[in-house]
């Protein structure tokens, strides 16, 4: 009965490769997010989709491309991986974007994907 | 620019005592604050929140206090239990940025027997 699941849990790859991380939520939420936790433990938002529409796109290299085939899925594709992309990537979902009904709509996170680029 | 700061990277408390985790913020536009708890190899889980119209919110053993003038909030856990051992993240959102949560770097709480 996992609420937000992401795969794979660990991903080790070489520089220059292209990789994808998948995320699915079974909570019926309308909004999904990708967060990145870097080596300094900062959790920073990267993207947010509401009903398959991109609503947040932070200053992220365009090598990162999110794709939302439906509101229950938000995948992250990364092209030409670099050493600095090594981090833990968390998918999350909420019922509403945090600017509507947000007081009752905390984020639900997946367990993270640890990406290591060598 | 670190807008949400948790200056104590770690805290150790005895079981049964009070744990106090602190968080400071710099952005005066923040008006909604949350605490998340994270176990190793898991994602953060929502714990408790407070809006800027309140100065206290309580949920069982967890209470969050907000001091807007000092731009400071704290999480109190009473009594602390060994299962509370985790990393606690403070997060904030605000007018115009409400869809984005800004997180602190976390405080690792260890509750000892």
């Amino acid at each position: 009965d996992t609420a937000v699941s992401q795969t794979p849990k660990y991903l080790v790859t070489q520089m220059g490769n292209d990789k994808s991380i998948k995320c699915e939520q079974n909570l019926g939420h309308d909004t999904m997010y990708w967060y990145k936790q870097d080596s300094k433990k900062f959790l920073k938002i990267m993207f947010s989709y509401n009903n398959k529409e991109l609503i947040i796109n932070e200053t992220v290299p365009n090598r990162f491309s999110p794709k939302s085939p439906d509101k229950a899925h938000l995948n992250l594709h990364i092209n030409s991986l670099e050493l600095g992309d090594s981090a833990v990537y968390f998918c999350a979902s909420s019922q509403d974007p945090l600017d509507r009904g947000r007081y009752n709509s905390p984020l639900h996170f997946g367990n993270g994907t640890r990406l290591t680029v060598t | 620019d670190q807008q949400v700061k948790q200056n104590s990277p770690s805290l150790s408390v005895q079981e049964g005592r009070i744990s106090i985790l602190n968080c400071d913020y710099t952005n005066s536009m923040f008006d909604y604050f949350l605490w998340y708890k994270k176990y190793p190899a898991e994602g953060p889980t929502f714990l408790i929140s407070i809006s800027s119209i309140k100065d206290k919110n309580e949920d069982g053993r967890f209470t969050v206090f907000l001091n807007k003038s000092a731009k400071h909030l704290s999480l109190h856990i009473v009594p602390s239990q060994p299962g509370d051992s985790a990393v606690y993240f403070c997060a904030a959102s605000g007018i115009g940025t409400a869809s984005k949560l800004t997180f602190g770097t976390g405080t690792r709480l260890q509750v000892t027997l």
Side-chain angles (χ1 to χ4, degrees):
Chain A
D1 63 342
T2 305
V4 181
S5 60
Q6 49 184 115
T7 55
K9 190 170 180 65
Y10 299 98
L11 185 53
V12 181
T13 188
Q14 289 185 325
M15 285 175 55
N17 285 347
D18 303 339
K19 290 293 179 186
S20 292
I21 307 172
K22 295 185 176 181
C23 179
E24 175 181 6
Q25 54 95 3
N26 62 7
L27 296 167
H29 287 167
D30 292 330
T31 308
M32 296 184 72
Y33 310 79
W34 278 108
Y35 275 80
K36 177 181 178 181
Q37 186 178 33
D38 61 22
S39 58
K40 294 183 179 178
K41 305 303 181 187
F42 282 107
L43 259 171
K44 292 183 181 176
I45 191 167
M46 300 173 69
F47 302 102
S48 176
Y49 271 75
N50 177 251
N51 276 321
K52 303 193 296 176
E53 180 183 344
L54 182 66
I55 57 172
I56 294 175
N57 185 350
E58 287 296 278
T59 309
V60 176
N62 58 15
R63 298 182 294 103
F64 290 78
S65 54
K67 284 187 172 52
S68 182
D70 55 63
K71 74 173 191 177
H73 295 83
L74 180 62
N75 304 322
L76 183 65
H77 190 75
I78 315 171
N79 290 328
S80 303
L81 278 154
E82 300 177 357
L83 292 176
D85 298 331
S86 296
V88 181
Y89 293 83
F90 288 97
C91 177
S93 72
S94 67
Q95 181 57 49
D96 292 303
L98 292 182
D99 58 354
R100 290 201 299 272
R102 56 194 168 113
Y103 298 144
N104 296 315
S105 187
L107 296 181
H108 295 255
F109 283 88
N111 286 336
T113 296
R114 182 174 294 276
L115 171 65
T116 303
V117 182
T118 62
Chain B
D1 177 25
Q2 200 176 336
Q3 298 184 64
V4 177
K5 300 179 185 179
Q6 294 176 257
N7 292 321
S8 298
S10 63
L11 176 67
S12 183
V13 172
Q14 273 192 325
E15 182 180 10
R17 303 251 180 178
I18 184 171
S19 296
I20 300 176
L21 295 97
N22 293 305
C23 178
D24 297 294
Y25 62 96
T26 58
N27 189 336
S28 58
M29 300 298 285
F30 287 150
D31 65 347
Y32 182 48
F33 305 89
L34 308 90
W35 285 93
Y36 280 81
K37 175 180 177 179
K38 183 183 181 302
Y39 292 118
E42 294 185 10
T45 55
F46 171 72
L47 196 55
I48 192 169
S49 64
I50 189 168
S51 74
S52 60
I53 61 174
K54 294 185 176 182
D55 54 20
K56 176 183 174 182
N57 189 26
E58 192 172 351
D59 184 1
R61 297 185 298 114
F62 302 92
T63 302
V64 56
F65 295 92
L66 175 62
N67 182 334
K68 290 190 292 294
S69 60
K71 294 192 177 69
H72 176 84
L73 65 155
S74 60
L75 174 68
H76 292 210
I77 306 173
V78 183
S80 300
Q81 298 174 354
D84 297 329
S85 297
V87 177
Y88 289 78
F89 289 96
C90 172
S93 70
I95 302 167
T97 63
S99 295
K100 309 175 199 176
L101 281 183
T102 300
F103 283 84
T105 50
T107 296
R108 182 177 300 278
L109 173 65
Q110 182 159 8
V111 180
T112 58
L113 297 174

